[in-house]
Amino acid sequence: PRKTSDGVLHYLVGVFFLSLPFVMSFTGWEKFRVPKGIYAALFILLIGTVFLVSRKLELRFRPWTWEFFLGIALVYVALHSLLGRWPEVSLSGFVWITYFAALLLVLTEIASEQFQKKLWMWIGAAAAVNAVFTILQYFGWFPLMIRATGEVLKGRLTPAGFIGDVGSGGFLFALVCLILLYPMLAEKDKRIRIASALLFSLNLAGLAFTRTLTAIIALVVCLGIWLVFHHWWVLRTTRKITRQLLFFWMVLLLGVIVAVGAVMTSGVQERIEVVWSQMKQGDWTLATAGRQPVYLITWDMIRHRFWLGYGLNTFRQDFFFHRVDTPFGQSVNLIGQPGTFGEVHNEYLQVWEELGFLGLLFFVAFLFWPAIKAVPLLFRTQDSRRCYWIGILSIGLVFVAISCLAFFPFHLSLTSACVVLLLAGLRHFQNEERTRPEQSRQRMLWKVFIFSALALWAAYPQVGRWRANNEMGMAASLLRNAASEDSQPQQKRLFAQTAREKLRKAEQFYPGFYEIYYHQGYASLLLGKPEEAARYYRKAAGRLPSAEIFTDLAAAYMAQKRFDQARPLLEMALRYNPALERAREALAHLEANAQDETQ
């Protein structure tokens, strides 16, 4: 029975990791991140339910063990979320953390060494396909990035294949390259070596064409660590040292040739030259993609609530108001961008800002503990290939730790799943000596009933979220048509009315999508209902504050002749983004009206 259940679990986990990079929505409002998050939540529920009804999970919560710290961290996050200013927002983040903690525990129990290696090869294959799409997109040959008008969406920030944003693509391509070093150099089967070398080359090319400096720098640093580790491994485990090192340097030369070709073709060299020239002048804007001011403001926020933080998933709201309401926030220049920063792009700073210093300590322990505990295994194990695999996984965690300095892999479903797989691989080696007792058939039947009911209850909101995402996507498309200059008045009204109907459906499916209320406000304005628009805009601004939303709310007030309420909103929008032209024009219009009334 255990072998059967493990076979089913291996199949489900394999399908999950192989398919997750390709999950997207052609009609949804959020084409990449939201569909992947919903898909991940549903699949993790399925995997966890199958595991819990078929096996007995035995956790060791002895003091000072990794499981002990994980349990205490989950309790801390739960209490922090319940006692925070916005429990409904923070608890949704806690649910996300719980999903991936459950996946981690399941993978730790079932992910044998051989299964891990096969799974990473499949992930490498899925990433390689997306790498090819990334290259096609760069040259304007990827149909997904071509609009109906024939316009090609190009640029560094467009999605990397089906993966989603370019940061996720760069992270996955680089991590896969690092893990594929094992089958290329440690496996005996030549077919596996050739296949892994091909996947390595494709993923390396994909990384170059994303031009993601964070992932590139992290990979280069980790490759330096790997060079030292590989030579140590050869000297420790191999008798034919000269032959092994000769083969190694041949493979390394091939990798360098591929990397140089990709760098020269993809424009990475030009990007690095521009970044370096700006850094020499003391300008870190391009080097940090405009995030250095965000880091400075976030650090000022941390100083105000050093120990306890502001609350899980509340960074977006707190950052906006800290920017516009504090002298320090107003003194820092941000790059002009739509909306407001929703992430710090630094996991350590964001965890610290949201969960406080204690939360940061838990996060660091969670990330580094498995690698620290795995180091002694490198010296104890007599199996040379196992030694190499443990070393590669440990270096993979170093890559994650460096990437967290300028990226947020734990906030995205695809990158989170890969990090969890790394952690589970190292934890499995430390837990494999444990005995796992069987359970009775009667106990299993009770668990089937209880956990199936709980899984269905937890899955229901995710299904609603998926449907809401699709309805909102179609509504957004209709509103774009309504705003088009080519649309006639009757067409504009028809588009806006149809969009509002779809937005009402989306709200019924999943009220937690606050973008719905922003679109409802815009639809109401198009239909000549400014009071209704203001009500929706206020609701959206409560959870998604941005200069654009407050400008639109001001426009709704101006349509009602409530100029005294519109002015402070426009001033606040300009304090956040002084370059926002719409807010400037609206404020100029207000001042012109005030002068007319005075005269």
Side-chain angles (χ1 to χ4, degrees), residues 243-357:
R243 181 179 176 183
Q244 283 288 337
L245 290 180
L246 180 63
F247 175 75
F248 166 74
W249 283 103
M250 289 175 60
V251 172
L252 184 63
L253 179 61
L254 176 63
V256 169
I257 292 172
V258 172
V260 170
V263 166
M264 298 298 291
T265 309
S266 62
V268 172
Q269 181 183 4
E270 292 84 352
R271 179 171 165 77
I272 293 175
E273 289 174 354
V274 173
V275 169
W276 180 246
S277 65
Q278 288 191 358
M279 288 172 60
K280 288 193 295 184
Q281 298 170 10
D283 185 0
W284 288 72
T285 302
L286 189 58
T288 61
R291 294 164 195 149
Q292 185 192 20
V294 183
Y295 300 156
L296 295 174
I297 295 175
T298 304
W299 176 245
D300 192 62
M301 295 166 66
I302 289 171
R303 289 172 53 234
H304 284 77
R305 303 196 65 172
F306 186 90
W307 296 104
L308 294 178
Y310 288 76
L312 186 64
N313 273 11
T314 61
F315 171 77
R316 182 182 184 121
Q317 298 93 320
D318 293 322
F319 179 83
F320 178 86
F321 291 110
H322 197 86
R323 160 70 169 162
V324 302
D325 292 339
T326 64
F328 182 86
Q330 295 172 27
S331 66
V332 178
N333 293 322
L334 288 179
I335 60 171
Q337 68 160 33
T340 186
F341 280 93
E343 315 289 349
V344 182
H345 288 80
N346 182 306
E347 286 285 15
Y348 307 107
L349 286 178
Q350 185 151 347
V351 170
W352 199 345
E353 188 274 337
E354 292 185 348
L355 296 175
F357 186 69

Side-chain angles (χ1 to χ4, degrees), residues 169-450:
F171 180 91
L172 183 61
F173 297 148
L175 180 59
V176 164
C177 286
L178 198 58
I179 301 299
L180 287 173
L181 292 172
Y182 170 81
M184 272 202 303
L185 297 167
E187 286 288 357
K188 293 182 179 180
D189 192 330
K190 290 184 178 180
R191 293 172 298 179
I192 294 178
R193 285 188 169 190
I194 294 172
S196 58
L198 176 61
L199 295 178
F200 178 89
S201 301
L202 290 173
N203 280 286
L204 191 62
L207 171 63
F209 278 89
T210 63
R211 291 180 286 173
T212 308
L213 292 185
T214 301
I216 293 172
I217 292 171
L219 180 61
V220 170
V221 172
C222 289
L223 288 177
I225 299 172
W226 163 74
L227 278 173
V228 176
F229 166 74
H230 181 83
H231 284 80
W232 170 84
W233 177 77
V234 171
L235 294 172
R236 178 179 182 268
T237 62
T238 309
R239 292 181 179 180
K240 300 178 181 179
I241 296 176
T242 305
R243 181 179 176 183
Q244 283 288 337
L245 290 180
L246 180 63
F247 175 75
F248 166 74
W249 283 103
M250 289 175 60
V251 172
L252 184 63
L253 179 61
L254 176 63
V256 169
I257 292 172
V258 172
V260 170
V263 166
M264 298 298 291
T265 309
S266 62
V268 172
Q269 181 183 4
E270 292 84 352
R271 179 171 165 77
I272 293 175
E273 289 174 354
V274 173
V275 169
W276 180 246
S277 65
Q278 288 191 358
M279 288 172 60
K280 288 193 295 184
Q281 298 170 10
D283 185 0
W284 288 72
T285 302
L286 189 58
T288 61
R291 294 164 195 149
Q292 185 192 20
V294 183
Y295 300 156
L296 295 174
I297 295 175
T298 304
W299 176 245
D300 192 62
M301 295 166 66
I302 289 171
R303 289 172 53 234
H304 284 77
R305 303 196 65 172
F306 186 90
W307 296 104
L308 294 178
Y310 288 76
L312 186 64
N313 273 11
T314 61
F315 171 77
R316 182 182 184 121
Q317 298 93 320
D318 293 322
F319 179 83
F320 178 86
F321 291 110
H322 197 86
R323 160 70 169 162
V324 302
D325 292 339
T326 64
F328 182 86
Q330 295 172 27
S331 66
V332 178
N333 293 322
L334 288 179
I335 60 171
Q337 68 160 33
T340 186
F341 280 93
E343 315 289 349
V344 182
H345 288 80
N346 182 306
E347 286 285 15
Y348 307 107
L349 286 178
Q350 185 151 347
V351 170
W352 199 345
E353 188 274 337
E354 292 185 348
L355 296 175
F357 186 69
L358 186 57
L360 177 66
L361 291 180
F362 279 127
F363 176 73
V364 171
F366 168 80
L367 183 58
F368 289 102
W369 190 287
I372 294 172
K373 296 289 286 184
V375 170
L377 295 177
L378 293 174
F379 299 93
R380 289 204 306 262
T381 183
Q382 299 301 314
D383 187 333
S384 62
R385 284 190 286 176
R386 168 171 288 196
C387 176
Y388 203 89
W389 181 241
I390 294 173
I392 287 294
L393 292 181
S394 300
I395 297 172
L397 278 187
V398 175
F399 170 83
V400 173
I402 297 173
S403 298
C404 285
L405 291 170
F407 186 51
F408 45 101
F410 287 89
H411 284 70
L412 303 172
S413 55
L414 176 60
T415 50
S416 293
C418 293
V419 176
V420 162
L421 183 58
L422 274 177
L423 292 166
L426 290 172
R427 291 301 305 162
H428 181 81
F429 287 116
Q430 297 155 35
N431 293 350
E432 63 183 357
E433 72 278 2
R434 291 165 51 188
T435 58
R436 298 169 178 82
E438 298 286 351
Q439 60 180 326
S440 66
R441 181 174 293 275
Q442 184 178 7
R443 184 186 180 103
M444 188 181 76
L445 291 175
W446 273 108
K447 287 170 70 175
V448 168
F449 174 75
I450 293 172

Side-chain angles (χ1 to χ4, degrees), residues 91-122:
L91 284 173
S92 65
F94 172 71
V95 171
W96 172 267
I97 293 172
T98 305
Y99 280 143
F100 283 92
L103 180 64
L104 174 58
L105 293 174
V106 172
L107 290 177
T108 300
E109 293 289 318
I110 69 166
S112 65
E113 184 179 346
Q114 285 303 116
F115 176 66
Q116 293 174 46
K117 294 171 183 176
K118 291 179 182 178
L119 188 55
W120 276 110
M121 286 289 288
W122 282 111

Side-chain angles (χ1 to χ4, degrees), residues 397-528:
L397 278 187
V398 175
F399 170 83
V400 173
I402 297 173
S403 298
C404 285
L405 291 170
F407 186 51
F408 45 101
F410 287 89
H411 284 70
L412 303 172
S413 55
L414 176 60
T415 50
S416 293
C418 293
V419 176
V420 162
L421 183 58
L422 274 177
L423 292 166
L426 290 172
R427 291 301 305 162
H428 181 81
F429 287 116
Q430 297 155 35
N431 293 350
E432 63 183 357
E433 72 278 2
R434 291 165 51 188
T435 58
R436 298 169 178 82
E438 298 286 351
Q439 60 180 326
S440 66
R441 181 174 293 275
Q442 184 178 7
R443 184 186 180 103
M444 188 181 76
L445 291 175
W446 273 108
K447 287 170 70 175
V448 168
F449 174 75
I450 293 172
F451 287 113
S452 297
L454 288 174
L456 289 172
W457 175 76
Y460 180 76
Q462 299 299 331
V463 175
R465 192 175 174 217
W466 196 303
R467 297 175 70 183
N469 183 62
N470 287 333
E471 293 291 339
M472 187 163 54
M474 290 185 280
S477 178
L478 289 167
L479 290 175
R480 280 195 297 270
N481 291 334
S484 173
E485 296 179 357
D486 298 332
S487 298
Q488 300 298 319
Q490 290 182 343
Q491 290 178 316
K492 289 179 182 290
R493 187 170 186 83
L494 179 61
F495 284 139
Q497 287 177 338
T498 308
R500 193 163 65 159
E501 292 173 5
K502 291 190 174 296
L503 290 167
R504 285 173 178 168
K505 286 184 181 179
E507 185 180 6
Q508 292 173 356
F509 291 144
Y510 194 77
F513 254 140
Y514 291 97
E515 291 86 352
I516 294 172
Y517 305 115
Y518 175 71
H519 291 306
Q520 283 177 321
Y522 185 54
S524 298
L525 274 183
L526 290 175
L527 292 171

